[in-house]
Amino acid sequence: MPLTEAIPIETIYGDTKGLKPSQVKQLRRIYHERLPADCIVTPEFAQRLAAASTDLNQPLCAYVNRRGQVIRVGVGSPRQTQIPLVELPRYGAERLCGIRCIATDLREADEQPTMASLTALALQRLDALVMLHLTGTGKTKRGGGATGYVASARIAQVVPLGPIAASGDSSDSTVAIAVNAAAGALVPVESPAIAAPVAADPEVSPVPGTAVGASLSLAEIEELDFIEFVGDLEADLERAIAAQPGEGDGDRVLLVGIQTGPVDDRAFEERLTELRRLVETAGGEAIDTMVQKRSRLHPQTAIGEGKVDEIALQAQTIGANLIAFDRDLSPAQVRNLEQRIGVRVVDRTEVILDIFAQRAQSGEGKVQVELAQLEYQMPRLVGRGQAMSRLGGGIGTRGPGETKLETERRLIQKRIARLQREVTELQAHRSRLRQKRQNRDVPVAAIVGYTNAGKSTLLNHLTSAEVYAADQLFATLDPTTRRLTIYPPDGGTPQQLLLTDTVGFIQELPPPLVDAFRATLEEVTEADVLIHLVDLSHPSWGRHIATVEGILGEMPTVPGPSLLVFNKIDAAPSDILEQARQTFPHAAFISARDRLGFDTFRQRLCQLVDAAGLA
């Protein structure tokens, strides 16, 4: 439930098992406390919270907003009682969440907050975390007041990492943390080193992006101007974000790779590199990468719970607003990850679908992309589900009607059915065009290959076509057919061919794309011969060949004979080029951009057509 909505004022969170009614009543009274807006915590509030914690012999946490209202009381540590990230207000990486946590610590005095507590601080981006160290004894005054329960306190806070741009100056300054001499509180200072005189040095925090102050008394904490404290900190956070290199307003993406099974390290690195290129092609900025080796995927989150916390913390630290995984995730895994991390999560298929949506230009392409996206989104709709369904008949089913989820699902199902009919019509239309070409006895050659192998560039330079070509993944989606005339070197009869450019392949091609683009992929299966284009300059050219051949082998209709053509030989290392020549002696070697090797390529293509009996 978002914090902007009404919260039951008497809800006690955390481990409430075994609490007596009188103890629950005592905790509920904490909700009625009100702190001054300019004070992080008053001695009276701290002593009362400590008294309740001592009585329970359990740590307590009180969460207070900037108006001084207690919005959450929990039994347990800050990590055990933290606010779910999806319920926290989000103001951007340069802002804090507007909530501070006052927590009690039953350990010995002067100990640092635990790593779990500091992680909760960083994940929630709290204004501050105040840890109260208890004496174990105290006195309760008449009227509810308390004294003697708090021995000392520590303040922990979120701090910017790396250089920040100093206000009024274009140069960068290193963020240092010092303790204010007057109030004893942590404040960020802009200096190449901690040069300001301090009352005590802050201790190094084990969690990046956080800082822990020295042990203070409640009187010293009360002197701190909380409004100025938070304002200065958010100003530093804003300058730190402004100093980070960025590329416009695109998504800042944290990549996550999961290495499972017998996948070797090189193949795994290549997979991550491909994911980075996919994200950049989609318009995002890949700012960091995190990996985990696992024997198998976790059924709920794909990765381990500890790694989920690491990713959430890293996303907060670097200001990522999107997490991209290198493999497909189930709808439940995506929902669980988003609830735990508090940032939107996408898998590899969704990134590819987004690229296709940007690249689709023709009506045919847009229909096929929309169908693929809807088929992908259908099982990912969430809501009340069947428990609140009112679409049946009989007793218990009459009432408010269908839920919003059922309405959305019904509309999507109707749209999918309509798009399926349009794709079927596209298949019929393309079939008629192919039949006309076959009646003219003109052989058809389809250019296939891994994405970004140079298929569109080859078509442009062979036929003077003007298909869009760029050094991007999935630069073109729509198939384009042009006539190619090949003149034999011996002066014989010219050979006429129809050359078709097709959509690029990629490893683990998402099933929704295969189904939605069946009309386009039929151009491959119905072609008389195939030109399998390979980017020889790519380190994984061997895997690309295997991927394309695997996809072709899974097609319902066996494609015709193929000619293996290695492209970009001008950019390939000489030893790799020699290796390819020895391994594939019957292949053609070209540079489509520089028009190198075209004569040999045309000769090999004519030989393939003659061998297939199409001439």
Side-chain angles (χ1 to χ4, degrees), residues 536 541 545 562-566 576-590 600-601 603-605 607:
L536 191 58
W541 60 271
I545 293 176
S562 64
L563 170 65
L564 190 61
V565 181
F566 288 95
I576 296 297
L577 179 58
E578 184 60 29
Q579 177 188 347
R581 290 186 187 275
Q582 294 179 2
T583 307
F584 304 96
H586 301 292
F589 294 83
I590 66 170
T600 303
F601 164 68
Q603 182 181 356
R604 297 282 175 85
L605 184 57
Q607 293 173 353

Side-chain angles (χ1 to χ4, degrees), residues 413-573:
Q413 286 173 338
K414 286 185 176 180
R415 182 62 177 167
I416 288 176
R418 177 181 174 184
L419 293 174
Q420 290 279 14
R421 290 193 297 270
E422 293 187 24
V423 170
T424 302
E425 293 174 1
L426 287 177
Q427 286 182 282
H429 174 67
R430 289 194 175 279
S431 178
R432 290 191 294 271
L433 293 179
R434 285 194 298 270
Q435 187 63 42
K436 289 182 180 179
R437 292 196 294 261
Q438 292 172 358
N439 292 337
R440 297 173 184 172
D441 294 329
V442 180
V444 178
I447 307 175
V448 300
Y450 210 82
T451 179
N452 201 37
K455 297 181 295 297
S456 298
T457 302
L458 177 62
L459 179 70
N460 288 340
H461 288 179
L462 285 175
T463 65
S464 300
E466 297 181 354
V467 178
Y468 175 74
D471 185 17
Q472 298 174 335
L473 303 182
F474 303 111
T476 54
L477 297 185
D478 302 313
T480 303
T481 301
R482 294 291 185 270
R483 183 179 294 270
L484 172 65
T485 303
I486 301 178
Y487 296 92
D490 57 1
T493 304
Q495 174 70 56
Q496 298 289 330
L497 286 176
L498 291 179
L499 207 57
T500 300
D501 177 25
T502 60
V503 63
F505 295 163
I506 196 170
Q507 62 175 334
E508 299 179 16
L509 194 64
L513 286 179
V514 176
D515 178 66
F517 278 77
R518 60 184 182 271
T520 300
L521 294 176
E522 280 185 359
E523 295 291 339
V524 176
T525 59
E526 297 296 331
D528 298 308
V529 296
L530 299 182
I531 301 172
H532 182 178
L533 198 63
V534 181
D535 179 4
L536 191 58
S537 66
H538 197 286
S540 303
W541 60 271
R543 298 181 191 275
H544 290 180
I545 293 176
T547 297
V548 173
E549 291 180 346
I551 295 175
L552 293 176
E554 294 174 357
M555 289 187 174
T557 304
V558 179
S562 64
L563 170 65
L564 190 61
V565 181
F566 288 95
N567 188 24
K568 305 183 184 180
I569 59 174
D570 56 313

Side-chain angles (χ1 to χ4, degrees), residues 394-415:
I395 298 175
T397 61
R398 290 175 282 269
E402 62 184 355
T403 65
K404 183 175 184 293
L405 171 64
E406 289 164 339
T407 302
E408 293 176 351
R409 182 170 287 146
R410 177 171 50 81
L411 293 176
I412 289 180
Q413 286 173 338
K414 286 185 176 180
R415 182 62 177 167

